[in-house]
């Protein structure tokens, strides 16, 4: 029954009351049997009727009739009754008060009652109040539980992402407190998974709870678990310099050993810091900046934490822009192919070319492969781009007279995602380029995952007659030791060593060591990035047979390449095809 209906039922009842004792008894029974708590109070503040439920809820089952309302009703209810009675005159509409009141002394068992008070004027001046109430304790608890779940992490009891953002918003909604500043720390536990896998989820859960306790013990004002092994902490009142110091404290505490039942476990902690002085007070922004800094911290070997700087955001934005643009670069014909000559160091003769990809964006201009290839690898776009350049380069070089070799770079991601051997076969068949004229350039990254499958694929390529060159040698995880075990034919010494010649002794020593080993292993060495005649001469003296670099020619278009071939060598070469 709604409040309005209740009020009119009560008014009707009162009219009946005036009809005599029988009606009065009927009404008393109606009140008594009511499903809700119902109490009728006269203008003198005395209870004149009460339902059974009202007696149960307010007076432990004892009758309420004849009692002073002030004594038996919760304070707020009584005040509402008084107010409604005071406002009621024969001229006014039936006033209504609705509210929620907590009843009982023990905090845990307190009842939550929702109530409504209506008043009626009986006859010319007699006023009575009808108080109707419901026990909404359970509903309230369920609501509170839901709201707790929405703002807290059920496992650790710390704040959730939503709760964390709400807390920051509430704290800094107004200018008040903003002057003291706020530092936010995004924390990622390193090596948590092995602990979880080895000791089981129950112990993993204990560790996560202990992490929250340790974070709280730092005195940080807000502590949140964002999911998995990601946490966040917000601490007002720290300057940027103090935030870095606080970060070290947090890190020290988190990396100390954890006692998990009979086991001890150790995890690492990478931390990204953002500060309101740079990122403002928007919690989403603070968290996103702290996250960017966390990514930088993760990639850094060493201290494992980094503070956000605006360049990180710019880099990310530029990267995202490139990622979007790259989706259509192929269709828009912005990707093209260049060839850089490889020369014999003995006589400077061009013996091969490396195919290099180019991206000319209408607004951004030429985008360097060092920028777009990593993005293409991350997005998987490298598969499409790599297929295109392999086909296009083979087709082009196959039309050139002579026996120039072609080198094509193949990314580790291509080996991971597709059947490179099949693609190479297809490109060779379609173009008619003999397999022995093709080299595939790989980097050491290829041996990071699924080594056996990779070696198998390389072996199959070699069986076809295709050569394998290890690019950028010396920059990765290079160990001279494993060179002998890999199915490779050529080693390309990275340009960073060549660049430092002839002055840098160490580079000279490294190059000599690579030369000696390659000779022993029967592998050809190509020196990359030769820019001067001195460098070419020195490398030749060290026993290097092949060189590549601006000294012999910059990357050129197919047309330019043909023209230079004509110029340099055989008079039989046609000017174009
Ligand atoms: P890379 O395969 O080591 O290619 C050699 C890079 O060194 C080329 O840069 C080339 O232009 C540059 N270079 C050659 N000689 C000199 C020199 O004397 N001095 C200097 N300073 N640089 C020289 P580029 O074309 O910018 O390519 C950079 C990297 O991007 C390549 O390094 C390769 O890792 C990647 N890349 C380029 N094209 C492709 C491709 O089609 N597929 C894949 N997967 N990667 C590619
Ligand atoms: Mg290369
Ligand atoms: Mg290279």
């Amino acid at each position: 029954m709604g409040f309005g209906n209740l009020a009119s039922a009560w008014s009707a009842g009162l009219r009946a009351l005036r009809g005599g004792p029988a009606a009065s008894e009927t009404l008393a029974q109606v009140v008594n049997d009511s499903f809700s708590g119902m109490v009728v109070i006269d203008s003198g503040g005395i209870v004149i009727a009460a339902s059974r439920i009202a007696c149960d809820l307010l007076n432990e089952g004892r009758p309420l009739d004849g009692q002073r309302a002030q004594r038996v009703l919760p304070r707020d209810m009584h005040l509402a009754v008084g107010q409604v009675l005071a406002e009621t005159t024969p001229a006014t509409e039936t006033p209504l008060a609705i509210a929620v009141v907590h009843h009982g002394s023990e905090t845990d068992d307190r009842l939550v009652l929702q109530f409504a008070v209506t008043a009626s004027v009986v006859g010319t001046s007699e006023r009575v109040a009808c108080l109707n109430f419901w026990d909404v304790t359970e509903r309230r608890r369920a609501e509170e539980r839901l709201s707790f779940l929405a703002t807290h992490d059920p496992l650790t009891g710390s704040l959730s992402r939503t709760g964390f953002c709400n807390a920051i918003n509430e704290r800094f909604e107004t200018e008040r407190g903003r002057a003291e500043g706020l530092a936010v720390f995004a924390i990622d536990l390193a090596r948590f998974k092995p602990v979880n896998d080895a000791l089981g989820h129950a112990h993993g859960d204990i560790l996560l709870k202990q992490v929250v306790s340790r974070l709280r013990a730092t005195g940080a004002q807000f502590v949140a678990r964002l999911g998995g092994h990601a946490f966040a902490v917000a601490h007002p009142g720290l300057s940027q310099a103090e935030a870095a110091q606080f970060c070290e404290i947090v890190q020290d505490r988190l990396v100390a050993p954890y006692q998990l039942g009979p086991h001890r476990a150790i995890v690492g902690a990478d931390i990204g810091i953002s500060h309101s002085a740079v990122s403002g007070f928007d919690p989403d922004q603070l968290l996103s900046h702290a996250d960017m800094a966390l990514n930088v911290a993760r990639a850094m070997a060493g201290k494992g934490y980094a503070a956000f700087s605006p360049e990180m955001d710019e880099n990310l934005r530029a990267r995202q822009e490139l990622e979007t643009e790259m989706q259509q670069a192929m269709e828009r014909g912005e990707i093209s192919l260049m060839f850089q000559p490889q020369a014999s160091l003995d006589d400077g003769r061009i013996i091969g070319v490396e195919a290099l990809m180019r991206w000319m964006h209408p607004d951004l201009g030429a985008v360097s492969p060092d920028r777009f290839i990593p993005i293409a690898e991350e997005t998987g776009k490298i598969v499409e781009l790599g297929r295109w350049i392999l086909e296009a380069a083979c087709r082009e070089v196959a039309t050139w007279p002579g026996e120039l070799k072609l080198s094509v770079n193949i990314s580790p991601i291509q080996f991971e995602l597709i059947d490179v051997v099949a693609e190479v076969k297809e490109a060779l068949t379609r173009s008619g380029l003999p397999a022995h004229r093709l080299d595939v350039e790989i980097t050491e990254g290829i041996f990071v995952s699924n080594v056996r499958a990779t070696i198998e694929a390389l072996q199959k390529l070699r069986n076809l007659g295709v050569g394998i060159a290890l690019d950028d040698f010396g920059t990765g995880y290079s160990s001279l030791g494993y060179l002998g075990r890999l199915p490779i034919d050529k080693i390309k010494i990275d340009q960073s060593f060549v660049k430092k010649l002839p002055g840098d002794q160490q580079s000279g020593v490294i190059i000599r060591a690579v030369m000696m080993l390659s000779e022993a292993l029967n592998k050809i060495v190509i020196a990359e990035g030769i820019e001067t005649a001195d460098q070419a001469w020195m490398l030749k003296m060290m026993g290097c047979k092949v060189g590549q670099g601006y000294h012999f020619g910059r990357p050129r278009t197919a047309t330019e390449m043909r023209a230079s071939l004509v110029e340099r060598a055989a008079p039989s070469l046609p000017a174009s095809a």
Side-chain angles (χ1 to χ4, degrees), residues 350 400-401 404 556 558-577:
I350 305 283
W400 296 350
L404 284 196
R556 300 163 217 185
T559 318
E560 287 165 347
M561 196 67 217
R562 285 162 183 286
S564 87
L565 289 177
V566 172
E567 221 173 84
R568 271 175 193 258
S572 59
L573 276 179
S576 70

Side-chain angles (χ1 to χ4, degrees), residues 408-453:
V408 178
N409 295 285
I410 309 254
S411 150
I413 307 297
Q414 286 169 272
F415 277 92
E416 215 172 289
L417 297 181
I418 53 159
D419 183 354
V420 171
V421 182
E423 294 215 340
V424 167
K425 259 192 217 167
E426 200 171 314
L428 291 174
T429 314
R430 282 205 221 177
S431 64
L433 186 77
H436 73 268
R437 287 181 58 196
L438 179 67
D439 279 346
V440 160
E441 287 193 14
I442 56 163
T443 53
E444 285 154 301
I446 199 178
F447 300 110
V448 169
S449 70
N450 208 348
V451 182
R452 198 181 311 162

Side-chain angles (χ1 to χ4, degrees), residues 340 354-358 368-370 373 382 389 409-411 414 441 471-472 495 528-531 549-550 555:
Q340 184 177 31
E354 176 176 4
L356 293 165
M357 209 181 291
R358 292 291 174 264
S368 156
D370 285 328
I373 297 281
I382 192 72
I389 195 164
N409 295 285
I410 309 254
S411 150
Q414 286 169 272
E441 287 193 14
D471 205 355
D472 304 339
Q495 43 184 288
E528 293 190 86
I530 302 178
E531 294 189 354
Y550 296 167

Side-chain angles (χ1 to χ4, degrees), residues 508-574:
V509 171
I510 293 172
I511 294 173
R512 245 180 236 115
V514 176
M515 292 308 311
M516 273 167 57
L517 189 77
S518 313
E519 211 166 292
L521 297 170
N522 203 19
K523 309 213 187 281
I524 296 167
V525 175
I526 302 175
E528 293 190 86
I530 302 178
E531 294 189 354
T532 67
D534 276 357
Q535 289 169 342
W537 181 82
M538 231 183 133
L539 285 155
K540 181 181 163 183
M541 288 301 114
M542 288 175 182
C544 189
K545 297 276 179 254
V546 187
Q548 182 180 343
Y550 296 167
H551 175 63
F552 301 105
R554 289 184 178 248
R556 300 163 217 185
T557 61
T559 318
E560 287 165 347
M561 196 67 217
R562 285 162 183 286
S564 87
L565 289 177
V566 172
E567 221 173 84
R568 271 175 193 258
S572 59
L573 276 179

